[in-house]
Amino acid sequence: MEGPYQHEASDSAYQFTKAAIAKGHEILRVFFYQDGVLNSNKLMDPQADDRHIRKQWSALAIENNIDFIVCVAAAKRRGINDTVIAEGFKIGGLGMLTELAIEADRLVTFRA
Amino acid sequence: MEGPYQHEASDSAYQFTKAAIAKGHEILRVFFYQDGVLNSNKLMDPQADDRHIRKQWSALAIENNIDFIVCVAAAKRRGINDTVIAEGFKIGGLGMLTELAIEADRLVTFRA
Amino acid sequence: MLHLVNKSPFESMSFEDCLKYAAKGSSILLYEDGIYGAMPGSAIADRMASVTSDYKVYVLKEDMMLRGVDKIMDGITEVDYAGFVGLVEENKTASW
Amino acid sequence: MLHLVNKSPFESMSFEDCLKYAAKGSSILLYEDGIYGAMPGSAIADRMASVTSDYKVYVLKEDMMLRGVDKIMDGITEVDYAGFVGLVEENKTASW
Amino acid sequence: MAKLMVVFRTAPYGGIYSFEGLENVLIMGAYDQDVSVLFIDDGVLAIKKGMDNSSTGIKDFSPTFRALEAYDIEKIYIDRASMEVRGVSLEDLVIEPEVIEADAVEKMMEEQKNFFIF
Amino acid sequence: MAKLMVVFRTAPYGGIYSFEGLENVLIMGAYDQDVSVLFIDDGVLAIKKGMDNSSTGIKDFSPTFRALEAYDIEKIYIDRASMEVRGVSLEDLVIEPEVIEADAVEKMMEEQKNFFIF
């Protein structure tokens, strides 16, 4: 996944997740890796007339009690750690993506 | 410019700047915008066997006393502010890129 | 199989790459900058017409609206995000 | 003018886009994934041979080494980062 | 006054490039420079009419393009072939750039003090 | 044991995709799954011999690709046409994948529980 604002991937992933929930699907997990980890940064502060991508995600995670995992290796490389990670997101290992691939009926990747 | 680690643009820009200094050129300014602002994050903590892109930049800025400007609007959108910005980098407005375009004999952009 | 293409066909090979591997009869959803491939009257319109005879081609309505693209070629089906989810229900998904 | 191309010509149109606008006789530097365009024996080798007769084509040595590309086509010149700086001294630069 | 140019060559919204390009045009205008704007390749799609962000909330920058003349930015050009390849005509656009041919592009770039491609 | 596959389709180093793909292969191996690896399009360039990062310091992942068999990952495939287009032959590669044709790709994907394209 690519970074929020830089590419549309974060917006598309958010809209898709919201639509899947609206249709009654269970979302096992949203896994953020590569530049996608930047979605979790609580310091994100876009212009007032633009959408706030991080807040959109946090609200979705909390309202629907979904597991949002931020890949630890990708996060460290990009300066994302516990001090800046927002509510609704948890740091986890890449193995949690493999677990998702083992368990999930469907897996959709939003890439640049 | 694209984000460090995600794309090679940050590495290329660093190698080019270093080579230009080695040839005796004066670097008026390095301007970080779009995902390039992520180069300035002092929380960046890559694996031990990989290069540390932010530290490379900080050392280059300090040793050569170069102006490294991080675009404020791009930075805020991506969660980069004074609390996470590393030594050698300063936050500045997009106008400083226009000033560079007005003053510099040569301007090179490293994009994805 | 559902193939997702999100790059402009005028700038990236990902649409053509996808077609090399996609089995005839499978589904292709154009979204993000991929939606430009659905515009009528472009230089790739003939190519797209032949693709629509071999594949089920869909285009994401929300990304068309955002980009001011309101006409699409015959043989391509508009879906919204709910329709996108529906396609994923029915198919494994490859992101190109 | 110096034109910088950093995308693989097998995946992106940026090399061909650049050629549409670049005046004959100007310089093109292939770097990052752009260096793959300099490999001999590829499907675009004939195209590249005709480009080298109209333009001065350079390829960045450091990016070749990183990618394990050690052979380049006749008519293309290898430069290192110091050579890249030299090309920028002599030319305004367009990043595609 | 320096001659500066911003070239748009990527599709809007998939990447942030056209948004950032537009921000740069406005800043250059505020610095009172001799600014040119050029649309080539997928950049011609950045000024399509009828953009509607109501279903995604992604910031729509069409109104800002429409306001360029109000910022005294009047040297606006578009590449004919790039429009034709995409089936786009001047009536489809929110502004009316002057149509140029591809071989004029490098000359325009050379005339600038500096330029940016987005 | 789930059938999982990682597909490499982008050039190395310009983007982080092939590096992340490789990390995923290793993790899947550690979870003791039935892992396949497939190289198509520019992905065939990710396993070229002779990579040398001494002048840039960018992490070279060739040694890890060479070690895949040691991790019991033995189902490794490569698309013939993708090699031909790039003038790459098996002797140019650090590992020796089984050569397949393009029309086998979607079938291989369908057989998996899930797969990733990098």
Side-chain angles (χ1 to χ4, degrees):
Chain A
M1 200 198 256
E2 296 281 317
Y5 301 102
Q6 184 80 4
H7 293 279
E8 197 181 347
S10 300
D11 294 287
S12 301
Y14 169 74
Q15 298 290 345
F16 180 85
T17 308
K18 215 172 57 163
I21 292 167
K23 284 192 82 172
H25 289 286
E26 179 197 3
I27 308 290
L28 283 181
R29 177 174 292 160
V30 180
F31 191 86
F32 297 84
Y33 66 125
Q34 298 182 12
D35 267 2
V37 302
L38 301 166
N39 280 286
S40 69
N41 192 335
K42 72 177 172 200
L43 304 178
M44 195 187 285
D45 182 21
Q47 287 170 292
D49 60 348
D50 202 357
R51 79 274 189 213
H52 193 306
I53 296 181
R54 198 277 303 163
K55 283 188 178 166
Q56 289 179 337
W57 280 121
S58 284
L60 196 69
I62 291 163
E63 277 163 28
N64 300 282
N65 200 22
I66 308 172
D67 202 20
F68 275 22
I69 299 297
V70 176
C71 175
V72 59
K76 288 183 73 174
R77 208 175 278 132
R78 291 170 181 83
I80 301 293
N81 65 26
D82 285 334
T83 64
V84 296
I85 208 163
E87 56 179 355
F89 295 87
K90 280 189 298 243
I91 286 180
L94 193 56
M96 297 177 83
L97 181 58
T98 296
E99 289 169 16
L100 198 56
I102 296 168
E103 289 163 35
D105 291 325
R106 290 284 180 264
L107 194 149
V108 186
T109 306
F110 291 86
R111 58 177 289 167
Chain B
M1 198 198 258
E2 296 281 317
Y5 301 103
Q6 185 79 4
H7 292 279
E8 197 180 347
S10 300
D11 293 288
S12 301
Y14 169 74
Q15 298 290 345
F16 180 85
T17 308
K18 214 171 60 162
I21 293 167
K23 284 194 84 174
H25 288 287
E26 180 197 3
I27 308 291
L28 284 181
R29 179 174 290 159
V30 179
F31 192 86
F32 297 84
Y33 64 124
Q34 299 183 9
D35 266 1
V37 302
L38 302 166
N39 280 285
S40 70
N41 191 334
K42 72 177 173 200
L43 304 178
M44 194 188 287
D45 182 20
Q47 286 171 292
D49 61 346
D50 201 356
R51 81 274 189 212
H52 194 306
I53 296 180
R54 198 277 302 161
K55 284 189 178 166
Q56 289 179 339
W57 280 121
S58 284
L60 196 70
I62 292 163
E63 279 163 26
N64 300 281
N65 200 21
I66 309 171
D67 202 21
F68 276 21
I69 300 296
V70 175
C71 175
V72 58
K76 287 183 75 173
R77 208 176 276 133
R78 291 168 181 83
I80 302 293
N81 64 27
D82 284 333
T83 64
V84 296
I85 208 163
E87 55 177 356
F89 295 88
K90 281 189 296 246
I91 286 181
L94 192 57
M96 296 178 83
L97 181 58
T98 296
E99 290 169 15
L100 198 55
I102 295 168
E103 289 164 34
D105 292 324
R106 290 284 179 265
L107 194 150
V108 186
T109 306
F110 291 87
R111 58 177 287 168
Chain C
M1 180 86 47
L2 172 66
H3 298 275
L4 300 181
V5 173
N6 70 339
K7 295 285 193 313
S8 163
F10 305 110
E11 188 48 39
S12 162
M13 297 299 291
S14 69
F15 178 63
E16 287 296 333
D17 285 343
C18 156
L19 292 172
K20 286 185 301 187
Y21 307 111
K24 292 195 178 181
S26 62
S27 298
I28 300 172
L29 172 63
L30 308 172
Y31 77 111
E32 295 181 1
D33 292 343
I35 65 116
Y36 292 116
M39 290 189 299
S42 87
I44 65 157
D46 285 351
R47 169 68 175 146
M48 186 58 83
S50 97
V51 171
T52 58
S53 70
D54 287 336
Y55 298 91
K56 287 172 274 184
V57 182
Y58 301 88
V59 59
L60 189 65
K61 186 186 172 66
E62 285 86 346
D63 278 327
M64 287 174 56
M65 287 171 60
L66 181 62
R67 288 165 177 79
V69 172
D70 52 6
K71 292 190 207 74
I72 56 172
M73 292 177 59
D74 291 342
I76 298 182
T77 308
E78 236 176 85
V79 294
D80 59 9
Y81 267 105
F84 183 176
V85 172
L87 288 168
V88 172
E89 287 165 6
E90 292 158 23
N91 298 282
K92 284 180 182 147
T93 303
S95 300
W96 294 91
Chain D
M1 182 84 46
L2 172 66
H3 298 275
L4 300 180
V5 174
N6 71 339
K7 296 284 195 311
S8 163
F10 305 110
E11 188 48 40
S12 161
M13 296 301 289
S14 68
F15 179 62
E16 287 297 333
D17 284 343
C18 156
L19 291 172
K20 284 186 302 186
Y21 307 111
K24 291 196 179 180
S26 63
S27 298
I28 301 171
L29 172 63
L30 308 173
Y31 78 111
E32 294 181 2
D33 292 344
I35 66 117
Y36 292 116
M39 290 190 299
S42 85
I44 66 156
D46 285 350
R47 169 67 175 147
M48 185 58 81
S50 98
V51 172
T52 59
S53 71
D54 287 335
Y55 299 91
K56 287 173 274 184
V57 182
Y58 301 88
V59 59
L60 188 65
K61 186 186 173 64
E62 285 86 345
D63 278 327
M64 288 175 55
M65 287 171 60
L66 181 61
R67 289 165 176 79
V69 172
D70 52 5
K71 291 189 206 74
I72 55 172
M73 292 177 61
D74 291 343
I76 298 182
T77 308
E78 234 176 87
V79 294
D80 59 10
Y81 267 104
F84 183 175
V85 173
L87 288 168
V88 172
E89 287 165 6
E90 292 158 22
N91 298 282
K92 283 179 182 149
T93 303
S95 300
W96 294 91
Chain E
M1 242 186 358
K3 284 177 74 71
L4 303 177
M5 182 162 74
V6 174
V7 182
F8 292 84
R9 71 166 296 260
T10 53
Y13 303 113
I16 203 169
Y17 286 83
S18 30
F19 175 84
E20 291 273 359
L22 184 54
E23 297 270 299
N24 267 281
V25 173
L26 296 180
I27 289 274
M28 289 173 181
Y31 273 73
D32 222 9
Q33 302 300 305
D34 180 1
V35 182
S36 304
V37 177
L38 170 61
F39 296 92
I40 62 174
D41 299 333
D42 274 352
V44 305
L45 301 167
I47 45 176
K48 258 193 124 294
K49 276 181 187 161
M51 291 181 182
D52 173 359
N53 70 348
S54 59
S55 61
T56 57
I58 295 176
K59 197 165 164 175
D60 169 13
F61 42 63
S62 298
T64 319
F65 272 118
R66 264 191 230 105
L68 282 187
E69 292 205 1
Y71 288 95
D72 287 331
I73 291 162
E74 288 163 350
K75 295 180 179 171
I76 307 182
Y77 308 94
I78 192 164
D79 173 54
R80 181 191 307 274
S82 298
M83 286 197 291
E84 284 171 4
V85 162
R86 290 157 187 84
V88 167
S89 61
L90 286 178
E91 301 81 64
D92 298 322
L93 306 179
V94 294
I95 51 180
E96 190 164 353
E98 184 183 327
V99 179
I100 61 156
E101 306 298 327
D103 59 9
V105 169
E106 182 167 317
K107 277 178 220 144
M108 288 181 77
M109 289 176 172
E110 281 287 5
E111 285 167 8
Q112 311 300 318
K113 168 74 176 179
N114 277 301
F115 62 93
F116 297 93
I117 303 180
F118 281 92
Chain F
M1 242 188 358
K3 283 177 74 72
L4 302 176
M5 183 163 71
V6 174
V7 182
F8 293 85
R9 72 167 293 263
T10 54
Y13 303 114
I16 203 168
Y17 286 82
S18 29
F19 175 84
E20 291 273 359
L22 184 54
E23 298 270 299
N24 268 282
V25 173
L26 297 180
I27 289 273
M28 288 173 182
Y31 272 73
D32 223 9
Q33 302 300 306
D34 181 1
V35 182
S36 304
V37 177
L38 170 61
F39 297 92
I40 61 174
D41 298 334
D42 274 352
V44 305
L45 301 167
I47 46 175
K48 258 193 123 301
K49 276 183 187 158
M51 291 180 183
D52 174 359
N53 68 348
S54 58
S55 61
T56 56
I58 296 174
K59 198 165 163 175
D60 169 14
F61 43 63
S62 299
T64 318
F65 272 118
R66 266 189 229 105
L68 281 187
E69 292 204 0
Y71 289 95
D72 287 330
I73 291 162
E74 287 163 351
K75 294 181 180 171
I76 307 182
Y77 307 94
I78 192 163
D79 172 53
R80 182 192 305 277
S82 299
M83 286 197 291
E84 284 171 4
V85 162
R86 289 156 189 83
V88 168
S89 61
L90 285 178
E91 301 81 63
D92 298 321
L93 306 179
V94 294
I95 52 180
E96 190 163 353
E98 184 182 328
V99 179
I100 61 156
E101 306 298 328
D103 59 11
V105 169
E106 181 166 318
K107 278 180 219 142
M108 288 180 78
M109 289 176 172
E110 282 286 6
E111 286 167 8
Q112 311 300 318
K113 169 74 177 180
N114 277 303
F115 62 93
F116 297 95
I117 303 180
F118 281 92

